[in-house]
Amino acid sequence: MNESLPRPRPVRRNVKCAYISYDAEMAREIEEMGVFSRFKEKYYLRRQKVYKEQLNLTSLDRPLHLQLEASWVQFHLGINRHGLYSRSSPVVSKLLHDMSHFPTISADYSQDEKALLGACDCSQIVKPSGVHLKLVLRFSDFGKAMFKPMRQQRDEETPVDFFYFIDFQRHNAEIAAFHLDRILDFRRVPPTVGRLVNVTKEILEVTKNEILQSVFFVSPANNVCFFAKCPYMCKTEYAVCGNPHLLEGSLSAYLPSLNLAPRLSVPNPWIRSYSLAGKEEWEVNPLYCDTVKQIYPYNSSNRLLNIIDMAIFDFLIGNMDRHHYEMFTKFGDDGFLIHLDNARGFGRHSHDEVSILAPLSQCCRIKKKTLLHLQLLAQADYRLSDVMRESLLEDQLTPVLTEPHLLALDRRLQIILKTVEGCIEVHGEHSVIANGPAEQSAPDSGQANLTS
């Protein structure tokens, strides 16, 4: 292995001084003068002006107005150093409802597809693979979400001969990952909800992207379909189709603008080889974690414990495609890792990919809070599959997961707990279970958030 791990890269270059990074004392002074509140209001009013220009102003309908009480605005303002939302926040339920019911006012390709088309310099934030299709939908309250359409039936498993990096992206995996993340009390997955989208009225008729308009067609079965316009997938056999207009999909809430809340995209130390035959060092060196622990920031912060949390989450959903992670620069080295892009999870319920647990099995460390939560979900009265089943009933696309996928969660949970037990037998409980001040349960709300 090289002497150092891959260096983190900024999510976006040339990020100027748009950080809202006042220290606590300055923030209080500004709040007292009312300047900060006026700044936020002016910022959102400027955005409202831009969005209104995108609307059809010749319409006889009353113009839409941005409300600062909109659920997506409150979601952004509520992000704090402990998670994307507080444990008791009522905003998330409202945001899920709004994303699943509000009409769309625009639709466009995501940054991935634009990068493939050469329409933007997105090299800092995307790694296009061409095997997925996703769109950005904006709603009548000016909030926006990432739309991933249904490409695979719920009872279909990923073929055993598929590599993890060419697997389908499943809309129901995004929905289920959000619910599991919330059950585990991580709160690191953006709120995600299922929705039946009318691809004609809610995408084709509201988009101003001529390329997106050009890839719509009517299939021989009279269903309205569309496909990704990119070098790899611009063929009708890769299209997704409504029935005849309605199409299932997931909607994941967008995070704040990178100007407002800069993020880092950091290579995962346990990144997999994205080639047909290659292997990374961690796959052949059982002492790999000893090297990781000597390198900043894994040698002086909770970052390694957060990586292990992420590995536990990925093992439960069966996601092998975690090549990078993102985090807000505002919260420093101990900030939480954002669990983005979970659509390649829940592909095979009949197989448990234990290599995903390498950070846990090689480092033999786990947060006490995480372990206690896992142990609780292993008890009969709080069985993980039962809690997930009940939580997923809230989504309008229920059943989101098939029963075999739910039962696989219980089986994988036992594997995690046995891995921890094995570590304790070898290294002792004191060395394995992290119980420092930073690992104490986070409060429901924090004063230190993205706007303080």
Side-chain angles (χ1 to χ4, degrees), residues 86-340:
S86 61
R87 194 174 296 125
S88 58
S89 172
V91 172
V92 172
S93 295
K94 187 175 188 306
L95 179 59
L96 296 175
H97 175 271
D98 293 347
M99 289 194 297
S100 61
H101 290 86
F102 279 7
T104 60
I105 60 173
S106 70
D108 201 354
Y109 281 122
S110 71
Q111 297 287 65
D112 295 52
E113 280 71 21
K114 288 183 178 181
L116 286 167
L117 291 168
C120 72
D121 179 10
C122 308
S123 59
Q124 294 295 317
I125 58 174
V126 295
K127 181 180 180 181
S129 62
V131 295
H132 53 264
L133 171 59
K134 50 190 178 184
L135 300 175
V136 180
L137 303 185
R138 193 178 295 281
F139 306 109
S140 57
D141 66 344
F142 303 112
K144 63 179 181 179
M146 183 68 72
F147 173 69
K148 294 186 179 181
M150 182 176 74
R151 298 187 64 92
Q152 193 175 36
Q153 297 297 323
R154 287 164 175 70
D155 57 353
E156 292 182 271
E157 282 199 278
T158 299
V160 295
D161 292 324
F162 268 34
F163 284 94
Y164 45 87
F165 49 84
I166 62 171
D167 193 8
F168 286 120
Q169 294 209 12
R170 288 167 284 275
H171 72 300
N172 60 317
E174 289 282 12
I175 301 167
F178 162 69
H179 285 260
L180 178 62
D181 173 86
R182 186 168 57 172
I183 290 169
L184 294 174
D185 199 34
F186 288 155
R187 292 169 282 133
R188 301 167 194 170
V189 174
T192 304
V193 70
R195 175 167 172 166
L196 273 174
V197 172
N198 186 312
V199 297
T200 302
K201 292 183 178 180
E202 297 181 288
I203 298 179
L204 177 59
E205 293 181 3
V206 299
T207 184
K208 293 187 177 180
N209 187 313
E210 294 181 356
I211 298 178
L212 179 55
Q213 293 172 348
S214 70
V215 298
F216 275 78
F217 65 96
V218 178
S219 73
N222 289 322
N223 293 323
V224 179
C225 310
F226 65 98
F227 55 91
K229 188 74 170 180
C230 67
Y232 308 104
M233 300 286 286
C234 47
K235 299 178 181 179
T236 56
E237 56 262 40
Y238 294 115
V240 292
C241 300
N243 185 27
H245 299 277
L246 297 180
L247 175 65
E248 280 191 20
S250 64
L251 289 166
S252 299
Y254 257 66
L255 297 177
S257 161
L258 292 171
N259 283 332
L260 187 63
R263 303 193 300 271
L264 284 179
S265 177
V266 186
N268 186 351
W270 279 267
I271 189 173
R272 294 178 180 273
S273 172
Y274 282 76
S275 66
L276 300 181
K279 283 185 177 294
E280 296 293 329
E281 183 176 347
W282 66 266
E283 298 178 89
V284 296
N285 178 10
L287 301 178
Y288 174 77
C289 186
D290 292 339
T291 303
V292 175
K293 288 188 291 188
Q294 297 175 13
I295 300 170
Y296 174 84
Y298 305 103
N299 61 350
S300 60
S301 68
N302 287 330
R303 188 78 64 88
L304 183 57
L305 290 169
N306 288 336
I307 290 282
I308 293 170
D309 276 352
M310 184 171 65
I312 290 171
F313 174 72
D314 282 335
F315 176 69
L316 287 171
I317 68 175
N319 177 29
M320 301 173 64
D321 192 38
R322 189 73 66 185
H323 44 80
H324 285 72
Y325 60 86
E326 291 190 14
M327 56 191 304
F328 292 107
T329 60
K330 166 72 177 180
F331 302 136
D333 289 341
D334 282 329
F336 64 91
L337 313 185
I338 309 170
H339 298 168
L340 295 173

Side-chain angles (χ1 to χ4, degrees), residues 39-54:
F39 168 78
K40 288 191 292 185
E41 183 176 0
K42 289 180 180 179
Y43 170 77
Y44 287 116
L45 289 177
R46 285 198 302 270
R47 294 184 66 177
Q48 178 187 10
K49 180 180 179 181
V50 174
Y51 300 151
K52 287 177 67 176
E53 289 174 353
Q54 297 177 356

Side-chain angles (χ1 to χ4, degrees), residues 366-426:
I366 188 173
K367 295 179 183 178
K368 181 177 182 180
K369 172 180 177 292
T370 300
L371 179 59
L372 290 176
H373 219 86
L374 295 175
Q375 290 172 336
L376 176 66
L377 292 168
Q379 297 181 16
D381 291 341
Y382 303 96
R383 186 176 289 111
L384 178 55
S385 59
D386 293 337
V387 179
M388 269 290 284
R389 190 182 297 107
E390 182 177 351
S391 181
L392 290 172
L393 289 175
E394 301 172 4
D395 197 274
Q396 64 177 355
L397 296 186
T398 189
V400 175
L401 292 178
T402 61
E403 195 64 19
H405 278 296
L406 291 169
L407 297 179
L409 290 173
D410 295 330
R411 185 177 68 243
R412 292 166 185 167
L413 176 56
Q414 291 300 321
I415 293 174
I416 295 170
L417 294 177
K418 288 179 181 177
T419 301
V420 175
E421 290 174 4
C423 287
I424 292 175
E425 289 178 3
V426 174

